[in-house]
């Protein structure tokens, strides 16, 4: 019986699993990683066009225009005192 002979817990996180995941570049906060990637894409856009006015649609990226729009909306919400969780 596999379970009878298995002395390690099969569920939950432990230091060993954390180290293994991190050794392969596991991303713990996917939303933050996505935000960083989109920010890098925006920096490339600015380097190419000299501004951050991403058009909709934008042929080089389908995600960048929406992300920029979300950042502007999040900023407006922040300035208005509505500090709810960002969409990213």
């Amino acid at each position: 019986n596999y379970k009878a002979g298995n002395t390690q817990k099969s569920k939950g996180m432990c230091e060993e699993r954390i180290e293994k995941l991190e050794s392969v570049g596991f991303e713990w906060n996917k939303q933050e990683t996505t935000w960083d990637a989109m920010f890098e894409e925006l920096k490339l856009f600015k380097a190419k066009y000299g501004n951050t006015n991403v058009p909709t649609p934008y042929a080089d990226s389908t995600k960048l225009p929406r992300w920029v729009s979300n950042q502007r909306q999040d900023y407006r919400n922040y300035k208005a005192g509505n500090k709810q969780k960002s969409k990213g």
Side-chain angles (χ1 to χ4, degrees):
N1 183 340
Y2 170 77
K3 286 187 178 182
N6 188 3
T7 58
Q8 293 183 344
K9 292 182 178 182
S10 62
K11 294 182 181 180
M13 188 58 63
C14 65
E15 197 65 35
E16 180 182 359
R17 288 181 180 177
I18 292 169
E19 289 172 9
K20 284 181 178 181
L21 289 166
E22 288 177 345
S23 76
V24 296
F26 186 81
E27 298 172 2
W28 294 105
N29 188 339
K30 183 73 172 140
Q31 184 176 5
E32 185 175 301
T33 302
T34 300
W35 191 96
D36 290 342
M38 294 307 298
F39 180 69
E40 290 302 316
E41 196 170 326
L42 181 62
K43 286 177 18 181
L44 292 173
F45 180 93
K46 181 165 185 194
K48 185 174 183 178
Y49 297 104
N51 63 61
T52 58
N53 300 321
V54 182
T56 304
Y58 174 54
D60 291 351
S61 174
T62 58
K63 293 180 181 179
L64 187 59
R66 179 174 289 195
W67 184 83
V68 168
S69 177
N70 287 343
Q71 300 315 299
R72 289 187 174 123
Q73 183 62 52
D74 288 348
Y75 177 77
R76 285 190 294 272
N77 289 341
Y78 177 82
K79 293 301 275 185
N82 182 4
K83 297 186 172 67
Q84 56 184 261
K85 191 174 181 182
S86 170
K87 290 176 246 152

